[in-house]
Amino acid sequence: MISQPNLPTSIREQNSEQDIDLMAYLGAIVDRKYFVATITFVFLCAGIVYAMFATPVYQVNALIQVESKGSGVPGLDEMGGMFDSQSNSTAEIELLKSRSVVGETVDELHLDIVSKPKLFPYIGERYFRRFSPLKEGHLAEPKFGASSYAWGGEEIDVFDFKVPHSAIGTEFTLVAGEGTGSNKQFTLLNSDGDVILKGKVGEELTNGKFSLTIRSLIARPGTEFILLRKNRLNTIVSYQDAITANEKGKSTGIISLQMESTQPIKAQVFLNEMAENYVRRNVERNSAEAQNSLDFLKVQLPIVKKQLEQAEAEYNDFKIQQQSVDITIETQGVLDRVIELDTKLQDLDLQRLEMSRKFKSEHPIYLGLVEKIAEIKNQKRELIKEVGNLPAIQQQLLSLKRNVEVNNQIYMLLLSKAQELDIVRAGTVGNVRIIDKAEVNLSTPVKPKKSMLVAIFIVLGLFFSISTVIVQKLFNRGIEDPSDIESLGLPVYASVPYSDHQDKLTGFSKAKKGRTKPKTILAVDNPADLSIEALRSLRTSLHFAMMESKNNLIAISGPSPGVGKSFISVNLAAVLAQSGKKVLIIDADMRKGYLQTQFGMKWDNGLSDYLSGRLTLEEVVKHSQVEGLDVITRGQIPPNPSELLMHSNFSKLVEQVKERYDIVIIDTPPILAVTDPAIVSAHTGTTLLVTRFGQNHAREIELTRNRFEQNGIDVKGVVFNGVLRKASNAYGYYGYYNYEYKSGN
């Protein structure tokens, strides 16, 4: 492992930057810990409420066994073996969940018909679920006076509900009427409130398009129910998705059926009915081949029987005609052999027909039967040649007798096989059976797991809140470290910590009795505040910075509104005045200046009035509550502030005030918004920028400096305002938070 000191410089710097970024994000999360805690608590409360009101989900279970082969019939192993079948669990699971099995169950139980009581939004389901009737037919009392909703005990059993194809999926409202039992009345309404059907329980109602039959209805008059006819295929697919079928163990043949539902009793009935249908279909499938062969023999038996009767009639007629001619011993021997060959030939031909339904003509079994048939036919031809040596009457008698005997043997053979196949078909029990019928534990729902649900909501709350903090950190690239400003080539004269009293300087607040009062200056209200201590440090820095300045005027501007220029200007002026200086502060923001609010003055008779020539300097200068600090407010808002500042009256003002005061501070508007700061700074000896912690971007500050330089103005330095104590910052804010000095009592 390579130690950190041995790594190349670029890699060490990259690792250091990554560590700083990670610490910055971690610090941002710590800084917003109350936000994270609040959001997490909100999610926790939401999780608890959801867990309380969520509809419980129950699991229904059943067990089915798939045997390796079908059951044989004792004594008929050879015949029954023709219909033995091997079955694997995977195939049986697919058959079990097939549309034919599920669809048959859906049709039998009318599951494509949805009928449910109309419940009060959000909380009605909990009331309905928790209601325990004292006796049969007992109904819960309506809550909040909402009698049209069901509150507990209401029931409806819809036997049939047919709607036009266009109305499939449309909800209808059934309103319970007066009466009880079979005399209970109801009305079916559409979404517009129009009556579609009206009648009583047990009646088959129809209007040609809609038909409805209600088996039972228990509800107060006026209670509403929702009726819906769903698409049959969609219903089947939804039940297929709801069923989970898995083999318990490898090659065990035991299939576990599971189904989760908010209506456990209906799910239990469905699963049992589906299992019964599946077992019945399995028996039918296993006996299908025997049934097909039996159907074939039933078709052949009447034909063979008719041929036998015809052969017997011809034989008897010939004997009568020849006056009871008897067959000789030689002819009888030939006859027995011919009958034997014909019987074998007929039996093989039946087997060939049976095999032709199972195999192709190229199959070896089928070809083997064809060869046997050809061999028997050759033997029969050789035997027929021997018959040619007999007398003519004996030959004809032999032929007729042979037809009778052969047809009789064939008939008896077919009859015997038909009886055997009928026994095989009737004795088929299938290779699947139900081990455990569907059951459900109503005392323990599987969902929601309340503790886990609440934990998930807590995790979601943490994830959401932390993600929000990180995203805000990513998108808010405002400078939070004064070294980033100094890297732009601008010295930071002071980092002013954020003060809770700073809000007092931004406007007015209501007094206890509802009246409004102006806010005073922070340097006067709380001179020991950390922000004021930082401004005293700025006062010292300005003393040395202004030694080489052309005059004693200071212009204070900023990149954008809201950075705290007025706060810095007012309190810096107050701090300078408190040190024995004679200070004048001028509000040069004649558009939106509000410096007067900090001193409890009015904005009239100010700078714009002097520049327009309406008032003299003595008339616009106002004395503040701070000794040695005078104020010139903005005056009336002029239509042309920039032109007024470029007027010679402003140069005249500068010449007058720099002689009368030790320091003059001019509060100007944001340089990126208007050009007024550049005009004012051209007359001042010192220009300062005020930037706000986490608000101004490096590019914004650089653009501000360039705007001043384009007008030939050198920015002396920056005041970093509104610095917050944050865990994400590593520079410590120059120790202001750690070295706060308070006087003893």
Side-chain angles (χ1 to χ4, degrees), residues 53-329:
F53 288 92
T55 303
V57 178
Y58 299 88
Q59 188 178 76
V60 186
N61 297 281
L63 214 58
I64 293 178
Q65 180 184 16
V66 179
E67 297 176 344
S68 59
K69 63 180 180 179
S71 301
V73 180
L76 294 175
D77 293 339
E78 182 179 353
M79 178 63 68
M82 294 173 56
F83 310 105
D84 283 350
S85 60
Q86 298 291 332
S87 177
N88 58 76
S89 298
T90 303
E92 295 298 331
I93 289 174
E94 295 302 321
L95 291 172
L96 180 61
K97 295 179 63 177
S98 65
R99 285 203 306 269
S100 60
V101 175
V102 177
E104 182 181 2
T105 309
V106 167
D107 294 337
E108 289 177 353
L109 300 178
H110 304 287
L111 297 177
D112 53 347
I113 299 175
V114 176
S115 56
K116 58 184 179 180
K118 187 176 181 181
L119 304 177
F120 196 84
Y122 304 111
I123 63 173
E125 195 277 335
R126 179 178 173 84
Y127 275 101
F128 189 86
R129 186 176 69 249
R130 289 183 169 270
F131 175 73
S132 297
L134 299 177
K135 59 181 180 179
E136 186 177 356
H138 179 223
L139 301 176
E141 293 295 330
K143 312 295 181 184
F144 320 118
S147 58
S148 63
Y149 295 99
W151 295 97
E154 290 81 1
E155 296 180 5
I156 185 172
D157 185 3
V158 180
F159 174 73
D160 187 36
F161 182 43
K162 292 184 175 63
V163 301
H165 183 74
S166 58
I168 291 178
T170 303
E171 289 189 358
F172 296 87
T173 302
L174 186 143
V175 182
E178 300 292 339
T180 58
S182 59
N183 293 322
K184 186 69 172 180
Q185 298 180 351
F186 61 85
T187 304
L188 183 67
L189 308 175
N190 61 14
S191 57
D192 297 327
D194 300 328
V195 177
I196 298 177
L197 295 171
K198 189 174 183 180
K200 295 189 300 182
V201 170
E203 294 181 344
E204 184 178 351
L205 306 177
T206 182
N207 62 1
K209 294 182 178 179
F210 294 84
S211 64
L212 175 64
T213 303
I214 304 294
R215 278 202 187 103
S216 64
L217 177 61
I218 302 175
R220 284 188 174 87
T223 303
E224 297 180 357
F225 294 81
I226 297 174
L227 263 63
L228 169 68
R229 183 63 183 259
K230 298 193 296 184
N231 180 276
R232 180 178 180 273
L233 179 59
N234 292 341
T235 305
I236 294 172
V237 172
S238 65
Y239 274 93
Q240 286 178 313
D241 295 337
I243 299 169
T244 302
N246 297 302
E247 186 177 11
K248 295 179 73 67
K250 187 176 181 181
S251 302
T252 60
I254 305 297
I255 299 176
S256 174
L257 290 179
Q258 295 179 352
M259 183 176 178
E260 294 182 355
S261 175
T262 57
Q263 298 177 309
I265 302 302
K266 289 186 177 180
Q268 182 181 5
V269 172
F270 168 79
L271 214 57
N272 278 327
E273 188 69 22
M274 188 190 73
E276 293 288 349
N277 290 336
Y278 166 66
V279 171
R280 178 177 52 78
R281 284 175 172 267
N282 178 265
V283 173
E284 292 175 353
R285 187 174 73 248
N286 286 342
S287 63
E289 291 190 22
Q291 183 63 49
N292 291 337
S293 299
L294 184 60
D295 292 340
F296 171 75
L297 292 180
K298 287 181 177 179
V299 173
Q300 296 296 321
L301 277 171
I303 299 175
V304 174
K305 185 177 181 181
K306 186 176 181 180
Q307 293 176 352
L308 174 59
E309 292 174 349
Q310 183 178 357
E312 288 178 342
E314 291 178 354
Y315 175 70
N316 292 331
D317 290 343
F318 182 77
K319 286 184 66 177
I320 294 172
Q321 182 181 358
Q322 297 297 326
Q323 298 180 354
S324 301
V325 177
D326 294 328
I327 297 177
T328 63
I329 296 176

Side-chain angles (χ1 to χ4, degrees), residues 565-566 586-596 603-613 620 632-647 649-650 653 666-670 674-677 679-680:
K565 297 183 291 74
S566 299
I586 302 174
D587 189 354
D589 187 355
M590 291 180 284
R591 292 175 174 84
K592 297 182 179 180
Y594 60 92
L595 207 65
Q596 69 279 353
W603 50 263
D604 56 351
N605 298 333
L607 178 63
S608 62
D609 300 294
Y610 173 84
L611 296 179
S612 62
V620 298
I632 297 180
T633 58
R634 62 175 171 82
Q636 297 185 13
I637 300 176
N640 55 348
S642 299
E643 286 73 10
L644 285 179
L645 292 173
M646 296 176 67
H647 196 273
N649 285 344
F650 185 71
L653 173 67
I666 304 178
D667 183 15
T668 66
V674 293
T675 60
D676 297 8
I679 300 173
V680 173

Side-chain angles (χ1 to χ4, degrees), residues 254-545:
I254 305 297
I255 299 176
S256 174
L257 290 179
Q258 295 179 352
M259 183 176 178
E260 294 182 355
S261 175
T262 57
Q263 298 177 309
I265 302 302
K266 289 186 177 180
Q268 182 181 5
V269 172
F270 168 79
L271 214 57
N272 278 327
E273 188 69 22
M274 188 190 73
E276 293 288 349
N277 290 336
Y278 166 66
V279 171
R280 178 177 52 78
R281 284 175 172 267
N282 178 265
V283 173
E284 292 175 353
R285 187 174 73 248
N286 286 342
S287 63
E289 291 190 22
Q291 183 63 49
N292 291 337
S293 299
L294 184 60
D295 292 340
F296 171 75
L297 292 180
K298 287 181 177 179
V299 173
Q300 296 296 321
L301 277 171
I303 299 175
V304 174
K305 185 177 181 181
K306 186 176 181 180
Q307 293 176 352
L308 174 59
E309 292 174 349
Q310 183 178 357
E312 288 178 342
E314 291 178 354
Y315 175 70
N316 292 331
D317 290 343
F318 182 77
K319 286 184 66 177
I320 294 172
Q321 182 181 358
Q322 297 297 326
Q323 298 180 354
S324 301
V325 177
D326 294 328
I327 297 177
T328 63
I329 296 176
E330 183 181 0
T331 304
Q332 184 65 45
V334 174
L335 177 62
D336 292 340
R337 292 171 60 191
V338 171
I339 292 172
E340 181 183 355
L341 293 176
D342 277 340
T343 302
K344 288 183 179 180
L345 188 62
Q346 187 67 29
D347 188 23
L348 291 172
D349 198 44
L350 286 173
Q351 293 184 31
R352 182 186 62 81
L353 290 174
E354 182 69 25
M355 292 300 110
S356 66
R357 296 191 297 111
K358 297 182 178 180
F359 308 107
K360 294 182 178 180
S361 58
E362 296 85 4
H363 197 277
I365 296 178
Y366 184 83
L367 293 176
L369 286 174
V370 172
E371 291 178 359
K372 287 183 178 181
I373 291 172
E375 183 180 352
I376 297 297
K377 285 183 177 180
N378 289 332
Q379 294 179 11
K380 183 180 177 181
R381 280 195 294 267
E382 294 295 331
L383 190 58
I384 293 300
K385 291 180 181 180
E386 296 181 9
V387 177
N389 298 325
L390 298 174
I393 294 177
Q394 289 293 318
Q395 289 183 24
Q396 190 173 359
L397 187 62
L398 174 63
S399 177
L400 294 174
K401 182 65 174 178
R402 183 194 66 185
N403 290 339
V404 172
E405 294 293 336
V406 169
N407 284 310
N408 184 63
Q409 292 289 335
I410 293 173
Y411 180 74
M412 295 304 295
L413 175 65
L414 294 179
L415 190 61
S416 175
K417 287 187 178 293
Q419 292 175 348
E420 291 175 357
L421 289 171
D422 194 33
I423 294 173
V424 170
R425 180 190 59 79
T428 303
V429 294
N431 64 322
V432 297
R433 63 190 181 95
I434 300 174
I435 298 176
D436 293 331
K437 287 191 174 184
E439 293 290 344
V440 58
N441 186 355
L442 295 176
S443 62
T444 308
V446 295
K447 295 177 183 178
K449 297 185 182 299
K450 296 184 179 180
S451 57
M452 182 180 295
L453 187 63
V454 172
I456 290 174
F457 268 81
I458 293 175
V459 173
L460 289 176
L462 287 171
F463 176 78
F464 178 79
S465 57
I466 293 174
S467 298
T468 302
V469 172
I470 292 176
V471 170
Q472 290 177 346
K473 179 71 175 178
L474 286 171
F475 283 94
N476 182 20
R477 306 304 295 179
I479 290 179
E480 297 183 355
D481 190 338
S483 62
D484 294 335
I485 300 176
E486 293 174 345
S487 65
L488 300 176
L490 291 171
V492 177
Y493 277 13
S495 290
V496 182
Y498 177 80
S499 172
D500 293 334
H501 297 280
Q502 183 174 351
D503 293 337
K504 297 179 180 180
L505 303 176
T506 59
F508 295 84
S509 64
K510 291 186 177 181
K512 291 183 179 180
K513 295 184 179 180
R515 295 175 298 177
T516 59
K517 66 175 184 178
K519 292 300 159 185
T520 56
I521 303 170
L522 179 62
V524 176
D525 282 353
N526 189 12
D529 192 272
L530 292 179
S531 299
I532 303 305
E533 292 295 336
L535 291 177
R536 291 191 180 99
S537 174
L538 175 62
R539 178 186 62 188
T540 304
S541 300
L542 285 176
H543 174 74
F544 296 101

